[in-house]
Amino acid sequence: MKTQVGIIGGGPSGLLLSQLLDLQGIGNILLEKHTREYVLGRIRAGVLEHGFADLMREAQCGDRMDTEGEIHGGFYIAHDDTRDRINLKRLTGGNSVMVYGQTELTRDLYEAREKMGGKVIHEARHVMPHDITTNAPYLTYNTGGKTKRIDCDYIIGADGFHGISRKSIPANKIRTFERVYPFGWLGVLSNTKPVSPELIYAKHERGFALCSLRSQTLSRYYIQVPLTDTVDDWPDDAFWAELKRRLPKDVADALITGPSIEKSIAPLRSFVAEPMRYGNMFLAGDAAHIVPPTGARGLNSAASDVYYLYHAMLDHYKNGDDTGLETYSQKALARVWKGQRFSWWMTTLLHSFPDNSPFDNRLQQTDLEYLLSSEKAMASLAENYVGLPF
Ligand code: RFL
Ligand code: PHB
């Protein structure tokens, strides 16, 4: 097979880029390791920047998001048995975020690819990029016991943190930066009315908690847990009891509990690989960078990579201009690092760190007091949360 762009990974990054390129007549084939059902079974992000929502519309995938998603003009920070509202709309001069689950967004992208007759190959095993540094790179993969080959101009590595793309770059050609946090998030999805119409990020000495939602009948809650905990350590009753302890009393009293329909633990990590290009392979999304979920940046950083890559490919194929491809890594990384800084800061502000000294804890408390007493500090938080410009 031959195409212009070979894409590895059928998560949001790969699918969105595939859809945008196809709409512009740029041929591409996408290889996904798992089945569609498996990909759609993962419960992940819930908050989209307004710029990302625009990109979904540009990809002609915004209809259901615009009907079923919720526009949020603010969120709460809970602390010391009370909560303060961060008024995103006022603080950013009119911007907001879209609350719409990654699962639904991915489903919309799959459906759009299907409708356009896009080439999405599931259960592609042993995907391997070859001759990346030449002008004739190609991909091989295994399906039904046979090895297939796709020749292309460019390869996109959008295969997430554990994918093959980044790993196929020689160690002396890539530099990685990493911070692993000494805790994870235990997440529960439940068919219950959310405790608050807007998200609540809660700082508590027992640990961080987050009240989020997918709709007004589907709640998503998280609590900070030690890395040694497993899902089996947290039967539903124990989860709800611990969540309530970490919320202000009026919120805890209003919390409606119910059986969990999904429960999982995600470790928290900050990670960046530089550069995001090797030869004719470009990395996008979690393949190149990971953030702790506190600032809701992960999927949004992936979307900004897609934005830069899409425009770079357009310039290359439509105008013969390679500036976008040449500067992709630099441009993408500049924004990625701002997302890293913000996610690290919000994580540091709101979590309990087991090794913190009393001095560290006072500084953390002061950071929060300053934030909530300063319009300028809150405006900085809001500006980052709704998404910096692409
Ligand atoms: P994905 O979603 O990991 O998709 C990569 C795809 O590549 C496939 N793959 C391969 N395919 C072929 N060959 C191989 N060798 C392959 N290896 C892997 C995988 O099967 C998969 O389908 O990466 P992508 O597309 O870059 O998307 C990134 C986002 O998924 C991620 O950044 C977010 O989910 C992060 N995140 C959040 N981001 C936000 O912006 N806002 C949030 O509110 C938010 N909340 C979260 C999150 C992530 C979480 N977890 C579990 C990590 C909450 C959580 C709990
Ligand atoms: C979610 O709803 O899954 C979610 C929302 C906000 C975050 C992280 C996760 O910061």
Side-chain angles (χ1 to χ4, degrees), residues 22 67 75 79 98 100 134 239 287 299 311 333 337 346 377 389:
D22 206 359
T67 319
F75 67 84
H79 60 99
M98 172 74 78
Y100 189 61
T134 73
F239 176 83
L299 179 58
H311 285 278
L333 282 167
W337 274 109
M346 243 183 115

Side-chain angles (χ1 to χ4, degrees), residues 5-11 13-15 17 29-33 124 126-130 132 138-140 154-160 163-166 168 281-284 287:
V5 183
I7 302 175
I8 312 177
S13 305
L15 286 166
L17 184 65
I29 300 177
L30 186 153
L31 298 175
E32 164 58 48
K33 181 180 180 175
H126 308 298
V127 175
M128 199 55 84
H130 305 269
I132 310 171
Y138 65 98
L139 293 166
T140 54
Y154 298 106
I155 293 171
I156 307 298
D159 48 353
I164 188 68
S165 311
R166 190 184 67 252
S168 58
M281 180 171 77
F282 297 85
L283 301 179

